[in-house]
Amino acid sequence: MFFSVLIALATGWPALAALVITVLYLGGPKPNERVVARIATSALVLSLGSVLVAAFRWLVSGPVDVRLGYWFHAGTYGFELVFLCDGTSIPIAVLAGILLLATCRFSANYLHREPGFARFFLLTLIFAAGMQLLVLSGSLELLFAGWELVGITSVLLVAFFHERQGPVRAAIRVLVTYRLCDIGLVLAVVFLHRAAHTTAFLDSMLTASGPMAV
């Protein structure tokens, strides 16, 4: 159970840090740059630590399918909160965690006294939560949720210097690209549910090995 919660926290730590920064800004005097940077850095260190523990578990025991119940359930149909640690997800999750942490450390100095300092770190934390959710997800629904978080934050990060025309034009292209990709992902979710009655990767592969109900 501890390991299962730890995997979820790879996404949870950045999301929690983003919430903390938002509450600090809405609840009183704005925190200074050092506080914002420390909160973001600490969350990304903890997220990377969770991923490294998952990597060790994968190296020792092989692929791990983590099930944490259902995040939505109606009648006999539900969507599971499932994560998958295997040879595809773990290396990418580790690389993403390292790059996000390096970006956070560099940006703390690069964006010093920038008016959008806190906004950048808030977006970066949401991006980090979405990226780890996308990579470690064990089903297409969670992958799609992570993809959407990565997509919207990517657009806003590309357009970070929104007073300039170049970043805004680039952000529009990014937005259009993500929305076009959404079509394929939504169709994949619908077709897989129709064929296998689940989008959990391991379950759908087991269904594919036998007769599939269409």
Side-chain angles (χ1 to χ4, degrees):
M1 183 62 184
F2 172 76
F3 177 76
S4 300
V5 173
L6 195 64
I7 292 300
L9 286 176
T11 291
W13 288 121
L16 179 61
L19 179 61
V20 170
I21 292 175
T22 301
V23 170
L24 289 176
Y25 263 80
L26 296 179
K30 294 182 179 179
N32 59 41
E33 291 182 357
R34 181 175 297 179
V35 171
V36 172
R38 283 182 176 177
I39 292 173
T41 302
S42 299
L44 292 176
V45 167
L46 289 170
S47 178
L48 178 58
S50 297
V51 172
L52 290 175
V53 172
F56 178 77
R57 174 72 178 273
W58 165 66
L59 288 172
V60 171
S61 59
V64 182
D65 185 41
V66 177
R67 311 263 174 158
L68 295 174
Y70 291 86
W71 60 272
F72 176 79
H73 200 284
T76 59
Y77 208 81
F79 298 94
E80 280 192 284
L81 188 60
V82 52
F83 297 90
L84 180 61
C85 304
D86 60 9
T88 300
S89 62
I90 289 298
I92 299 176
V94 172
L95 178 61
I98 293 173
L99 292 178
L100 285 163
L101 183 58
T103 300
C104 182
R105 294 295 300 273
F106 171 79
S107 300
N109 294 324
Y110 181 78
L111 294 176
H112 178 53
R113 294 185 179 179
E114 176 66 38
F117 186 92
R119 172 165 53 92
F120 175 85
F121 282 92
L122 185 61
L123 290 172
T124 299
L125 287 168
I126 298 173
F127 178 92
M131 177 59 72
Q132 295 296 4
L133 180 61
L134 188 159
V135 173
L136 295 172
S137 62
S139 69
L140 273 180
E141 289 97 359
L142 288 183
L143 184 149
F144 184 76
W147 173 264
E148 289 301 304
L149 288 175
V150 168
I152 190 63
T153 50
S154 294
V155 172
L156 295 175
L157 284 169
V158 170
F160 180 76
F161 296 105
H162 50 78
E163 67 278 4
R164 307 175 189 173
Q165 291 185 359
V168 173
R169 285 197 297 266
I172 292 173
R173 289 195 292 269
V174 172
L175 177 64
V176 172
T177 301
Y178 271 102
R179 296 294 74 83
L180 290 175
C181 294
D182 286 349
I183 298 172
L185 278 175
V186 170
L187 289 176
V189 171
V190 172
F191 288 147
L192 191 55
H193 264 296
R194 179 175 174 80
H197 303 294
T198 179
T199 62
F201 298 140
L202 291 183
D203 293 346
S204 58
M205 285 188 288
L206 288 174
T207 303
S209 64
M212 298 180 66
V214 178

